[in-house]
Amino acid sequence: MTLPHSDQPAADALVLFGATGDLAKRKLFPALYQLERTGLLKVPVIGVARSDWTDQAFCEHAEEAIVAADAHADAAVIGPLKQRLDLIQGDYSHQSTWEELRDTLDRHGSKHAVYYMAIPPSMFPVVAQQLASVGLNQRGRIVVEKPFGRDLPSAQELNQTLAKVFPEERIFRIDHYLGKESVEDLLVFRFSNALLEPVWNRRYVRSVQVTMSETIGVEGRGSFYDGVGAIRDVLQNHLLQVVALLAMEPPAGADSQYLQDEKAKVFAAMRPIEPDDLVRGQYVGYRDEHGVDPNSDVETFAACRLEIDSWRWAGVPWYVRVGKGLAESATEAVVEFQRPPRLLFDEAGGPPPGRNLVRFRLGKQDGVTFALQAKTPGPHLDSQEVDISVDFAAALGERSAAYERLLGDALAGSPRRFARQDIVEHTWSVIQPILDTPGPVHPYFRGSWGPSEAERILENEDTWYEPSS
Ligand code: BG6
């Protein structure tokens, strides 16, 4: 029997489309610096951009981006990284740009390049087709950034277009949450702590909440954000991936396909979200942001209830909440267990113990907190909540940033932390009803926890948990 093996050959060149753009500046050059520092970057880096820049200007731009991310960046690392850089300047619609790229890769003897699309999604098909026009699709893989479409039909269309040029195993779709150590820890924590598995199901779990809250607003990205909104920006991708990691069964083996298969089963069992199970909000002042339509009804907040109709989860509500301009910046998943009956040996008949919680902190200062019950001091046998908490950076040391890990994986040829086509399409199917019938947006003030209407989707006296960090 042959077991699946999804890994690809290691890359021998990195081609960065959109090399002079915002994503390259904020995320990719700092990630390349870290890969150079740790000895993992071994290939030439060829930027492609329409900007009319010299090689020297490109190198200076890269250095500025690295220093902006880390004021103590080491010149002894930046120097060799700059040696790797090359810029091809040209219009994506001109054949000469593609011939020059092919010749440059030939000069480097490249057979397995990584083509990183740090460009608007509307450009993905053009670039993919142009790569094919000079045969470069035969000798490399592409890395595409979210959003992968804006609804189910457009995601399917994009996948079909890319599939004409690259086979699925050579399309790496980035969702940077999958590159976060804290998010990946969900898998490790669940399946390496034997005490969790017996209770990780509908018999013991009462509800699960996932919150991603940001204090920032749209921060100069108004024109992008107003065409997208919170549901498409983060719920369809980052948050649903977190839900899948919390809900899935253990993968059958180490190969990436087994992990993807288990996630696919979660989404197959997830009911499409009904419009009644969604509340959208918009922070007051959003319509005055630069690039935003003054009459916009795009949401900057969304709260919804999900149901996963599987043997493990049927009947357990999953509450997901995302928003900008909120009271705190945090990403947290709270698993709430059933309340035990009252303590029968307490003669005074005190209140029943509170519910146990497992809180996964997935943002900055990631870690986990168990909220347990312990005896209240005094004559009675009452209990009160005590927290047992660990901060992973303090306990385990600093970990690498998401983009560094994902870029490293793309170069190494490991697809494990990328999103597979069927999963992307499943997630769009889950949210399609709320894209079709989104309902009104409710205003909320910045610094709050969103519109009070978000309480509406909670059942059984549930409440929203405020993040603990
Ligand atoms: C991005 C969204 O994917 O994730 C942004 O487009 C959001 O709107 C960002 O601010 C949040 O990422 P992180 O890693 O800071 O939680």
Side-chain angles (χ1 to χ4, degrees):
M1 188 178 95
T2 323
L3 291 173
H5 177 71
S6 312
D7 284 5
Q8 304 279 311
D12 49 21
L14 171 64
V15 179
L16 272 187
F17 293 103
T20 57
D22 187 52
L23 179 71
K25 186 170 158 191
R26 283 186 304 109
K27 300 287 185 191
L28 302 181
F29 286 118
L32 286 172
Y33 167 80
Q34 292 300 341
L35 292 172
E36 179 78 52
R37 191 179 65 77
T38 49
L40 293 174
L41 186 63
K42 301 188 177 96
V43 299
V45 179
I46 302 155
V48 184
R50 278 176 293 194
S51 314
D52 187 10
W53 290 14
T54 60
D55 280 355
Q56 197 195 338
F58 182 49
C59 286
E60 281 165 11
H61 172 77
E63 179 162 2
E64 277 164 26
I66 292 165
V67 174
D70 176 1
H72 304 294
D74 188 349
V77 177
I78 299 177
L81 173 56
K82 281 163 63 177
Q83 294 293 315
R84 298 184 188 282
L85 299 181
D86 210 346
L87 182 70
I88 293 179
Q89 187 268 314
D91 199 303
Y92 291 159
S93 62
H94 292 171
Q95 195 61 17
S96 56
T97 307
W98 302 94
E99 285 162 3
E100 191 183 342
L101 175 61
R102 185 196 52 208
D103 294 348
T104 307
L105 287 170
D106 284 347
R107 219 173 36 250
H108 287 292
S110 167
K111 295 197 168 50
H112 304 289
V114 164
Y115 307 112
Y116 197 116
M117 312 275 210
I119 47 178
S122 57
M123 298 291 296
F124 295 167
V126 176
V127 171
Q129 277 148 12
Q130 292 286 37
L131 283 168
S133 74
V134 288
L136 289 178
N137 58 328
Q138 305 295 338
R139 34 191 270 206
R141 50 186 170 267
I142 47 168
V143 178
V144 290
E145 280 280 341
K146 75 159 191 60
F148 315 115
R150 47 177 294 105
D151 53 15
L152 179 60
S154 59
Q156 287 168 329
E157 193 185 321
L158 177 61
N159 281 328
Q160 280 158 15
T161 308
L162 294 180
K164 286 189 191 131
V165 183
F166 286 92
E168 173 62 21
E169 65 272 17
R170 288 198 273 122
I171 303 174
F172 283 33
R173 298 174 187 80
I174 284 211
D175 176 323
H176 81 279
Y177 265 51
L178 296 178
K180 290 185 184 235
E181 298 263 16
S182 58
V183 171
E184 208 169 27
D185 174 65
L186 293 172
L187 203 56
V188 176
F189 202 88
R190 277 189 59 199
F191 295 123
S192 57
N193 288 302
L195 67 91
L196 291 181
E197 176 55 22
V199 295
W200 210 255
N201 57 53
R202 64 197 169 96
R203 285 192 65 194
Y204 298 98
V205 173
R206 185 172 188 271
S207 71
V208 185
Q209 281 189 21
V210 185
T211 295
M212 174 188 174
S213 57
E214 297 179 283
T215 53
I216 55 168
V218 293
E219 307 288 296
R221 295 163 78 218
S223 59
F224 158 77
Y225 196 88
D226 208 38
V228 177
I231 295 173
R232 291 184 172 93
D233 187 36
V234 295
L235 175 68
Q236 175 267 334
N237 38 72
H238 306 333
L239 274 289
L240 288 184
Q241 290 286 350
V242 168
V243 168
L245 290 170
L246 286 165
M248 63 184 259
E249 301 301 320
D255 189 87
S256 150
Q257 294 303 333
Y258 291 124
L259 170 66
Q260 309 280 6
D261 289 347
E262 293 308 329
K263 286 190 191 173
K265 287 186 209 162
V266 173
F267 294 120
M270 197 179 277
R271 293 200 189 152
I273 306 170
E274 293 300 326
D276 276 355
D277 291 336
L278 169 78
V279 170
R280 296 192 309 138
Q282 187 188 76
Y283 65 76
V284 174
Y286 171 74
R287 294 176 186 183
D288 303 327
E289 299 270 11
H290 182 69
V292 170
D293 177 347
N295 298 313
S296 172
D297 72 348
V298 164
E299 75 284 347
T300 57
F301 172 98
C304 64
R305 184 177 49 217
L306 301 171
E307 278 180 67
I308 304 171
D309 225 349
S310 64
W311 276 79
R312 194 188 278 265
W313 295 117
V316 176
W318 289 69
Y319 303 118
V320 178
R321 183 172 57 154
V322 300
K324 292 195 184 281
L326 297 181
E328 247 181 75
S329 287
T331 304
E332 197 167 288
V334 183
V335 179
E336 184 191 68
F337 290 85
Q338 302 286 359
R339 195 195 283 277
R342 75 182 186 86
L343 293 176
L344 290 176
F345 44 84
D346 177 24
E347 291 157 3
R355 296 190 178 98
N356 292 154
L357 305 177
V358 182
R359 285 177 181 265
F360 294 98
R361 298 188 303 280
L362 306 173
K364 293 201 173 69
Q365 292 171 335
D366 60 317
V368 66
T369 303
F370 281 74
L372 302 175
Q373 298 289 312
K375 184 182 171 305
T376 304
H380 300 300
L381 291 173
D382 289 343
S383 74
Q384 69 182 62
E385 185 174 307
V386 285
D387 285 353
I388 297 181
S389 189
V390 59
D391 176 314
F392 287 154
L396 307 170
E398 288 300 330
R399 276 79 37 78
S400 319
Y403 269 92
E404 177 188 342
R405 303 180 80 220
L406 293 171
L407 201 47
D409 286 347
L411 291 170
S414 168
R416 189 155 56 92
R417 288 184 267 259
F418 295 84
R420 202 171 67 184
Q421 172 219 342
D422 56 328
I423 292 176
V424 170
E425 291 181 12
H426 265 311
T427 54
W428 282 115
S429 316
V430 166
I431 66 163
Q432 193 60 49
I434 56 174
L435 298 177
D436 293 339
T437 316
V441 279
H442 303 281
Y444 63 96
F445 288 110
R446 287 191 74 152
S448 70
W449 280 107
S452 57
E453 286 81 357
E455 301 291 322
R456 179 174 66 70
I457 59 164
L458 301 170
E459 47 186 55
N460 304 328
E461 300 167 17
D462 288 340
T463 51
W464 289 108
Y465 285 107
E466 287 189 13
S468 59
S469 46

